Amino acid sequence: MANIENDIVRKPSKHKCLNRKNTRVDLTPMVDLGFLLITFFVFTTQLSLPTTLHLKMPYDKAEPGDMVCSSCVLTVILQAGNTIQYYQGMPESNPVIGNTAFTNNGIRNIILQKKKQVQKLKGTADDFVLIVKSADASTFQNFVDMVDEVSINNIRHYYLDEITPADRQLLSKK
């Protein structure tokens, strides 16, 4: 608390003097209040929780048992500089390779067009399969953007794979 002490001894004088008082302010309650406010706001605010990318990884010891029609497959190869090379079907059938990017009219439109083709062919778009392959020069941000596109477009079947020698041969022809 604030204390006012009056310890001045008055001497009789001819001149009228001002009374000087010795003041000392105790800031202990103000510090206590500050710490109470800090602890209140620390305990009541919700700290941002880190978000993780959820991937379902297959069991590598077993052979894959799911059959995929070759006309239902879209293979996407992530390249350097936020570019994407893609082809439809299997690499053994010498498909046409296209180039696109992560823009509004880029990979999303290609995925939507392929889903429409699969729906016309099979009657349902659930048979659509997306295979994502990352080149050595691609970045992790490209991979995260591609997984975001998978979730935005509600793709039920997608696979993460490495670039095979058949893919390298197909890309070298282009």
Side-chain angles (χ1 to χ4, degrees):
M1 296 291 180
N3 295 332
I4 298 177
E5 298 176 5
N6 224 350
D7 293 339
I8 298 177
V9 178
R10 293 186 184 173
K11 295 180 183 177
S13 68
K14 299 176 185 176
H15 303 290
K16 190 174 185 182
C17 292
L18 293 174
N19 286 339
R20 297 187 186 213
K21 298 180 180 179
N22 190 6
T23 57
R24 185 179 142 260
V25 177
D26 185 16
L27 294 177
T28 305
M30 185 66 78
V31 173
D32 291 343
L33 180 66
F35 279 117
L36 282 173
L37 286 172
I38 288 171
T39 55
F40 172 76
F41 285 114
V42 166
F43 288 133
T44 57
T45 59
Q46 180 182 5
L47 300 175
S48 63
L49 301 174
T51 58
T52 58
L53 184 65
H54 298 288
L55 291 177
K56 295 179 182 176
M57 300 302 288
Y59 183 67
D60 289 341
K61 307 293 184 218
E63 290 293 320
D66 48 348
M67 299 299 293
V68 177
C69 70
S70 63
S71 60
C72 300
V73 176
L74 176 67
T75 303
V76 172
I77 302 172
L78 306 175
Q79 298 288 346
N82 295 331
T83 59
I84 301 170
Q85 291 181 319
Y86 65 94
Y87 60 88
Q88 299 179 18
M90 298 298 170
E92 295 83 22
S93 63
N94 289 328
V96 177
I97 297 178
N99 287 326
T100 188
F102 292 105
T103 60
N104 292 340
N105 295 328
I107 191 66
R108 187 173 299 168
N109 284 344
I110 294 165
I111 290 172
L112 291 174
Q113 289 173 2
K114 185 64 179 178
K115 281 180 82 170
K116 287 179 185 176
Q117 288 176 359
V118 171
Q119 187 168 8
K120 284 182 184 177
L121 182 69
K122 293 286 192 169
T124 179
D126 290 340
D127 292 337
F128 172 65
V129 175
L130 180 70
I131 300 173
V132 179
K133 299 181 179 187
S134 295
D136 293 335
S138 68
T139 62
F140 184 70
Q141 183 63 42
N142 293 347
F143 176 73
V144 171
D145 291 341
M146 193 65 219
V147 173
D148 286 342
E149 288 294 331
V150 166
S151 64
I152 288 170
N153 291 307
N154 197 18
I155 299 173
R156 302 187 77 200
H157 305 285
Y158 66 97
Y159 298 96
L160 307 176
D161 198 8
E162 296 177 359
I163 296 178
T164 61
D167 291 327
R168 292 190 196 281
Q169 183 180 12
L170 186 64
L171 294 174
S172 67
K173 288 181 184 178
K174 186 179 188 291

